[in-house]
Amino acid sequence: MCAEFDKAGQYAAMGGFASKMGLASGPMVVALVIVNENYAGVINLAAVGLIACAIVVFKPARLLDKKHNPCRK
């Protein structure tokens, strides 16, 4: 999606950076959330994060879909 929105490739590079930062900071956040080996907080945080990401990516995905298939509403 990043490459489709920016043909110069700057957003694609930022997308890769964001991905790697998520991989690097994820274990740190989990270490801060876990208390007494109780993983319920981690699971809840992950579920909220997935829902938030789905909401954020929905509009750009629709824009790309309309761009590539103008017959769709």
Side-chain angles (χ1 to χ4, degrees), residues 41-55:
V42 175
I43 294 168
N44 292 335
L45 184 63
V48 169
L50 285 172
I51 292 168
C53 288
I55 290 169

Side-chain angles (χ1 to χ4, degrees), residues 16-70:
F17 173 74
S19 171
K20 300 311 177 246
M21 287 302 295
L23 287 172
S25 63
M28 179 193 71
V29 171
V30 169
L32 295 172
V33 172
I34 291 180
V35 177
N36 297 331
E37 297 183 19
N38 183 5
Y39 291 92
V42 175
I43 294 168
N44 292 335
L45 184 63
V48 169
L50 285 172
I51 292 168
C53 288
I55 290 169
V56 169
V57 79
F58 184 70
K59 187 169 182 170
R62 295 266 311 188
L63 286 173
L64 276 179
D65 192 35
K66 286 181 183 179
K67 179 181 173 184
H68 288 292
N69 192 357

